[in-house]
Amino acid sequence: MTTQPLSPTPRSTVRRGRRRSVTDRETLYSILDAGLVCQLSLVLDGSPVVLPTCYGRVGDTLYLHGSTGAASLRALAEGARACVAVTLLDGVVYARSVFHHSVNYRSAVIHGTPALVDDPGTKLAGLRAVTERLAPGSWDHARPPTQRELAATAVLALDLAEAAVKVRAAPPGDDEEDVADGTRWAGVLPLDQRWGEPEPCPLLPGDSDVPDHVRRRAGQALG
């Protein structure tokens, strides 16, 4: 695992809101490990495309997957540049003025050129990382992918070397005159997302128990 700092290039150096920039790599890992879906962006046939997709992380590599028939995956496999963003919303900041309303958040943006994973072992490891990020415990519980399913699935590896992280976790930043006025409420309304109760598939036998790897997530907070 690399120990190089974040923002090693002009493209991944935070300029707007620089005081919210975080440069330690552990914060990048923590954001990626708390998120579930990323926004994968690229230019396809001359137009920008943004694709919500699941992902997984192993060390300093982010794994993405999709159908081998998808034009976006083919373009990336052939060397198209990508930008991946993960944002965690922690709360809405209510300010005394509309101008200073904001949100508390954690965000990570990664730039790079994903590489198509051809090695069978690495491909399985990447798919396992994606599965376990979204649904921990499922890789060992569910049926593994068949050779036909693997052939229909493309796995891409994106290095995390070029990344930017921003975090806001603060009260409103109002102007002094609005604070002194004292007539308007200000503060933070935290956002707490939690898993609900499992809803079994109606095709399951009536006596089927919810497995432990699903049950233990019920009621837990996300992120």
Side-chain angles (χ1 to χ4, degrees):
M1 185 177 294
T2 181
T3 57
Q4 69 184 46
L6 297 179
S7 300
T9 70
R11 182 168 58 177
S12 60
T13 298
V14 176
R15 291 177 174 81
R16 290 287 298 174
R18 184 174 296 182
R19 68 184 184 281
R20 296 175 185 168
S21 174
V22 179
T23 58
D24 69 278
R25 191 160 288 273
E26 290 302 320
T27 302
L28 169 65
Y29 299 152
S30 70
I31 293 171
L32 296 178
D33 294 347
L36 297 174
V37 174
C38 71
Q39 307 300 321
L40 170 61
S41 304
L42 70 154
V43 176
L44 185 63
D45 296 330
S47 297
V49 176
V50 180
L51 303 168
T53 186
C54 299
Y55 64 89
R57 181 182 75 88
V58 177
D60 273 306
T61 301
L62 197 71
Y63 287 101
L64 308 163
H65 81 300
S67 170
T68 54
S72 56
L73 270 292
R74 291 199 304 269
L76 292 169
E78 293 170 359
R81 293 180 178 180
C83 179
V84 173
V86 175
T87 302
L88 308 175
L89 182 61
D90 296 321
V92 174
V93 179
Y94 288 76
R96 294 165 179 83
S97 67
V98 172
F99 181 80
H100 286 299
H101 273 59
S102 186
V103 293
N104 282 342
Y105 65 92
R106 291 161 286 160
S107 69
V109 177
I110 302 103
H111 300 272
T113 304
L116 180 66
V117 177
D118 292 319
D119 176 73
T122 306
K123 185 174 184 178
L124 280 175
L127 288 173
R128 177 174 187 143
V130 173
T131 302
E132 291 297 296
R133 171 83 297 273
L134 186 66
S138 294
W139 188 263
D140 293 329
H141 178 82
R143 174 183 62 77
T146 64
Q147 289 302 315
R148 181 178 179 179
E149 291 167 342
L150 288 172
T153 305
V155 176
L156 301 174
L158 178 62
D159 192 283
L160 296 177
E162 192 176 0
V165 172
K166 291 178 70 175
V167 175
R168 189 191 194 282
D174 279 305
D175 296 330
E176 291 183 4
E177 56 268 30
D178 290 324
V179 175
D181 178 66
T183 60
R184 295 176 175 86
W185 187 88
V188 175
L189 185 63
L191 177 62
D192 183 12
Q193 301 183 75
R194 293 184 176 274
W195 296 105
E197 288 297 316
E199 299 177 358
C201 173
L203 300 180
L204 280 172
D207 58 351
S208 297
D209 292 329
V210 178
D212 289 342
H213 71 279
V214 178
R215 170 59 63 187
R216 61 173 165 257
R217 297 185 86 186
Q220 288 188 358
L222 279 70

